[in-house]
Amino acid sequence: MSHPAFDITGRNALVTGSSRGIGRALATGLLEAGCTVVLNGRDAAALERTRAELAVEHGDRVRTVAFDVTDPAAVAEGVARVEADTGPLSILVNNTGAQHRAPLLEFTHQDWHRLLETNLTSAFLVGQEVARHMAARGHGKIVNICSLQSEVVRPGIAPYAATKGGLKMLTKGMCADLGPLGIQVNGIGPGYFDTELTSALVADDEFSAWVRGRTPAGRWGQVQDLVGALVFLASPASDFVNGQVLYVDGGMSSVL
């Protein structure tokens, strides 16, 4: 039997960007922990496919809400719909993210703004809107999915690292403002994970060898490796943890 401090049975959670990859894995982890989970993304058809697959095991505790997390009006309407249809949100996971690799001197303004809106503005908008409801109830957990690149960077991803570094500081700033209202805001910083979005890197023997050699754990992360950190940050076990980023990177950020 697990410790009661980690019990999140019966809570409602919204996970953005959850039709696939890390977002889907995090949503699945919350379902396995007993939550009702609302999947979010812009592609309603993709969300429905994921819902149907997860519902085989988790039934009607899997819901969907399709809206653009970079559109303030859509966010306000979507969050209000979730609160009305599913019930009060206790947990928000801001997972929506995008990557674009290019040398800094070739990076277009369009791609810069797309990453900024997707990776950073979305967390501000959804976090702000969900926090309004949480504040009225005096409790809530917000988990922002940051990155190893919130701390360090490689060539070709400067704008991505800038958005993830900004998300780390947004997490701390949200803690400062929302902590007094009973809301804990923390982050998870994944290292190099094997997902659909990184499949080309995983398949690159040279790069994959670099990741394994650079990581004390000696391997790529698997999406299930993130679930324990999320359950901790979403549960009463973390009630006095606020404004922190928990790096789940196999130790990469700790070594030279």
Side-chain angles (χ1 to χ4, degrees):
M1 181 178 178
S2 63
H3 194 286
F6 293 89
D7 185 9
I8 52 175
T9 305
R11 301 195 180 194
N12 297 323
L14 171 63
V15 184
T16 68
S18 48
S19 63
R20 60 177 181 165
I22 286 175
R24 175 176 173 149
L26 296 175
T28 302
L30 291 174
L31 287 165
E32 292 168 344
C35 293
T36 294
V37 177
V38 183
L39 309 173
N40 163 262
R42 286 182 297 184
D43 186 337
L47 287 174
E48 175 54 29
R49 286 192 297 271
T50 301
R51 186 208 62 78
E53 291 166 3
L54 294 178
V56 172
E57 183 171 351
H58 302 289
D60 67 359
R61 288 192 295 109
V62 194
R63 316 285 177 85
T64 66
V65 60
F67 62 83
D68 182 350
V69 291
T70 69
D71 179 335
V75 168
E77 192 277 330
V79 170
R81 192 162 13 122
V82 171
E83 288 264 337
D85 295 347
T86 299
L89 284 169
S90 298
I91 301 161
L92 166 65
V93 182
N94 278 315
N95 170 74
T96 298
Q99 172 66 290
H100 182 80
R101 294 178 175 84
L104 184 67
L105 299 183
E106 299 171 14
F107 223 95
T108 68
H109 293 174
Q110 181 181 6
D111 286 327
W112 163 265
H113 286 289
R114 179 174 62 87
L115 288 187
L116 190 62
E117 290 289 303
T118 305
N119 296 351
L120 186 55
T121 301
S122 67
F124 169 76
L125 292 175
V126 182
Q128 181 186 57
E129 196 61 37
V130 170
R132 288 189 171 114
H133 295 269
M134 290 178 169
R137 297 186 284 265
H139 63 85
K141 303 280 188 175
I142 297 176
V143 181
N144 295 327
I145 303 306
C146 300
S147 172
L148 174 64
Q149 275 77 41
S150 297
E151 297 290 342
V152 297
V153 70
R154 280 177 53 83
I157 58 169
Y160 175 83
T163 65
K164 290 298 188 176
L167 186 55
K168 177 184 75 171
M169 294 311 298
L170 178 63
T171 299
K172 292 177 180 294
M174 292 172 76
C175 156
D177 279 308
L178 302 179
L181 304 178
I183 301 168
Q184 290 83 54
V185 187
N186 293 289
I188 296 174
Y192 283 92
F193 273 71
D194 184 354
T195 70
E196 298 99 317
L197 296 179
T198 59
S199 58
L201 294 176
V202 175
D204 183 327
D205 290 340
E206 183 179 356
F207 189 83
S208 218
W210 176 83
V211 168
R212 292 193 299 271
R214 191 61 185 72
T215 306
R219 64 176 177 87
W220 285 77
Q222 301 298 315
V223 289
Q224 294 79 11
D225 292 322
L226 296 166
V227 171
L230 176 59
V231 171
F232 166 60
L233 293 176
S235 73
S238 62
D239 278 354
F240 202 57
V241 178
N242 212 348
Q244 305 301 307
V245 178
L246 174 54
Y247 290 97
V248 183
D249 62 0
M252 183 182 274
S253 59
S254 296
V255 300
L256 290 172

